Amino acid sequence: MAIDGPIDTGRNAANSRLPAGRQFTPPSPPSGLRTSPGDNFIELSWDPSPETDVAGYKVFRGYNASGPFDAVGSVHEAYFLDNSASNGTTYFYAVSA
C-alpha cells in the first residue's frame, strides 16, 4: 500500500519528473489496531504512524484474514467508524498510512 495512485508506465513515463525536495519514502505503517463493535457499526482506532508528515490513513476491510481487502474509507486521524458493517458478520481490517 505504499503507492497511492496510478503509475504511468506509458510513453509519458520517461518524461515524468519528481518534484524537487519531495520525499517519496512511504511512512511506517500504523500499529495497535483496535476494534469496538456496535449495532451495525465498528469503531476502529490505532496507534498513529510515528512520522510527522503522514497525510492520512486508508482503511481496508475483508471477510478473510488473508484477504482480499477492499478500501472502505480514508481519514486524517487514527480513528475510523465503519458504519457499513452488518451485525453477525465477521470482518478483518487493515490500515495503511
Side-chain angles (χ1 to χ4, degrees):
M1 301 295 168
I3 297 173
D4 181 11
I7 298 174
D8 185 356
T9 58
R11 69 182 218 278
N12 293 326
N15 297 326
S16 299
R17 296 183 188 212
L18 300 176
R22 183 149 178 210
Q23 178 183 355
F24 286 95
T25 303
S28 300
S31 61
L33 179 60
R34 298 171 293 280
T35 60
S36 179
D39 188 12
N40 287 315
F41 69 86
I42 299 175
E43 290 182 295
L44 291 87
S45 61
W46 53 89
D47 301 326
S49 180
E51 283 84 2
T52 58
D53 61 346
V54 172
Y57 301 94
K58 286 190 176 183
V59 179
F60 301 86
R61 181 178 75 189
Y63 298 98
N64 187 306
S66 60
F69 291 88
D70 296 316
V72 291
S74 60
V75 293
H76 295 287
E77 63 278 349
Y79 172 86
F80 179 77
L81 177 64
D82 183 358
N83 55 13
S84 66
S86 298
N87 290 344
T89 303
T90 300
Y91 298 105
F92 296 85
Y93 290 90
V95 178
S96 68

